Amino acid sequence: MLPEPTLNSYLMLSAVVFAIGAAGVFLRRSLVTVLLSIEVMLSGVSLTFVAADRYLARTDGQIMTLFVMVMAVCQAAIGLAVALVLIRQRNSLNPDEISDLRW
Amino acid sequence: MRITRPRYRSGLLMETWLFWALAVVAIVASLLVVSRRSARHGVLTLVALLGAMSGLYLLLSAPLAAMIQLTVYAGALLTIILPVTFLLDLPDDADDRSYVGQGAGSRRVGMLLVVVLVVELAWAFQHLRGTGLPEGEPLPGARPTAVMTSLVFDHAAGVALVALLMLVAVAGAMALVRREAR
C-alpha cells in the first residue's frame, strides 16, 4: 500500500526535482542543457509554491507560480538568443569558453 | 496541524496512485533532461516533466496553474524553442576530454553542495512527517475566477512588472539576434 501523499511528499518531490536541476547546472557543458536544467529547478520551485498554497488555503502561491512560468519563458527566450549568438561567433555552446567579461 | 482524512476511499486511493505515478514520471523526466546529450530530446523530456507537474497541480486543486502550465509554458517550449533547436542544428553536448579538467574543482564543490542540500532536506522532512493536506475539494479561493480576480486587482503591480520583464526580454532577444545578423 502506497503512503498517502502529504504536504511533505510534495515538498520532498520538489526538492528532489530542484536538486536534479542544480546538478545539471553544475555538471553539463552545453549552454542549452544548462538552460533546460534551470527550467527543471524552476519547476521544482513552482510545485513548492502550489503545495504551500494548498496547505495554507490561499491563492498567492498559484499567482507566484504564474509569475515563475513567465520568468522561465523569458529566460528561455534570452538564453536561446545568447546561444544563437555563441553558435554564430564560436560554433560552440560550452559555457567554460565564455570568458569575455572576465576581469 | 494534522488533518485526518478518511482512508481507503476509492477517490483517495486514486489520488494516492496518481501522485506516486506522476512523481516517478517527474523524477525520471528530470533525470532525462539533465542527462540527455541532445538539446532536442532535452526539450521534449522537459515538456514531459511539465505535463507531470501540471497533473500534480491538478491534484493540488490548482486547475488554472495546470492549464497555463500546459498551454503557455509547455506550448511555448513545443512551438517556439523546439523548432529553434531544430533550425539551429545545435550540436550535442560533446564529451570532449579536453574540457574535463576545466572547472572540475568548482563542479565538485557544486555537486557537494547539491548532496548537502538533499541530505539536509531528507533530515528536515523526517522530522516533519505526516503534515496532511486539506480535503481534495477545490478551495473557494482557488477557483480560476478567484485567482484571476486576485491577480488583476491584488497583484496589479506584479503583473505590470512581469509584463515589463516580458517586453524587455523580447526586445533583448531581438536586439541580440539582429545585431549579430548584420
Side-chain angles (χ1 to χ4, degrees):
Chain A
M1 186 69 187
L2 288 171
E4 180 185 338
T6 62
L7 174 66
N8 297 351
S9 312
Y10 285 96
L11 294 182
M12 194 68 205
L13 173 63
S14 62
V16 169
V17 171
F18 183 89
I20 291 171
V25 170
F26 286 119
L27 287 177
R28 297 312 300 268
R29 281 184 231 105
S30 167
L31 185 64
V32 174
T33 314
V34 170
L35 285 173
L36 295 180
S37 301
I38 293 174
E39 305 272 353
V40 172
M41 293 170 71
L42 289 175
S43 291
V45 173
S46 299
L47 184 61
T48 303
F49 277 129
V50 177
D53 177 280
R54 171 70 191 280
Y55 179 67
L56 298 172
R58 297 175 64 95
T59 57
D60 298 340
Q62 285 190 58
I63 290 167
M64 194 56 67
T65 301
L66 301 183
F67 288 165
V68 168
M69 285 180 205
V70 173
M71 200 193 70
V73 172
C74 288
Q75 71 100 7
I78 290 285
L80 270 181
V82 172
L84 177 64
V85 172
L86 284 175
I87 282 282
R88 283 177 177 167
Q89 282 189 347
R90 301 162 190 254
N91 199 24
S92 168
L93 286 175
N94 190 340
D96 293 336
E97 291 182 353
I98 310 166
S99 57
D100 293 356
L101 294 179
R102 186 170 291 170
W103 186 256
Chain B
M1 182 173 70
R2 180 169 179 80
I3 298 172
T4 55
R5 306 174 71 177
R7 287 169 178 268
Y8 305 117
R9 266 190 341 192
S10 59
L12 184 60
L13 195 62
M14 178 64 79
E15 182 188 323
T16 303
W17 276 101
L18 274 175
F19 169 78
W20 289 107
L22 290 170
V24 169
V25 170
I27 291 174
V28 170
S30 306
L31 286 171
L32 286 175
V33 170
V34 170
S35 63
R36 298 298 291 221
R37 293 193 180 282
S38 165
R40 299 156 206 160
H41 295 159
V43 173
L44 287 173
T45 47
L46 181 61
V47 170
L49 168 66
L50 296 180
M53 284 291 174
S54 64
L56 289 167
Y57 292 168
L58 278 179
L59 288 180
L60 286 167
S61 303
L64 185 70
M67 186 196 71
I68 292 180
Q69 170 108 333
L70 273 183
T71 55
V72 178
Y73 195 178
L77 283 176
L78 274 180
T79 57
I80 299 173
I81 296 175
L82 185 63
V84 169
T85 60
F86 278 109
L87 289 173
L88 284 178
D89 193 21
L90 292 173
D92 291 349
D93 191 4
D95 189 19
D96 189 348
R97 293 289 166 196
S98 63
Y99 294 123
V100 169
Q102 289 187 7
S106 59
R107 285 203 186 92
R108 285 196 196 105
V109 172
M111 279 309 299
L112 182 67
L113 289 175
V114 169
V115 171
V116 168
L117 171 68
V118 171
V119 170
E120 279 182 352
L121 287 169
W123 180 85
F125 289 128
Q126 265 194 341
H127 292 270
L128 293 171
R129 185 174 295 164
T131 309
L133 288 165
E135 282 292 336
E137 297 299 320
L139 302 170
R143 288 180 187 138
T145 48
V147 175
M148 291 307 288
T149 305
S150 173
L151 186 66
V152 172
F153 291 106
D154 300 336
H155 299 84
V159 172
L161 276 176
V162 166
L164 185 64
L165 174 72
M166 287 180 74
L167 186 66
V168 171
V170 170
M174 288 184 67
L176 272 173
V177 175
R178 282 197 164 200
R179 187 170 55 180
E180 188 57 28
R182 278 179 196 158

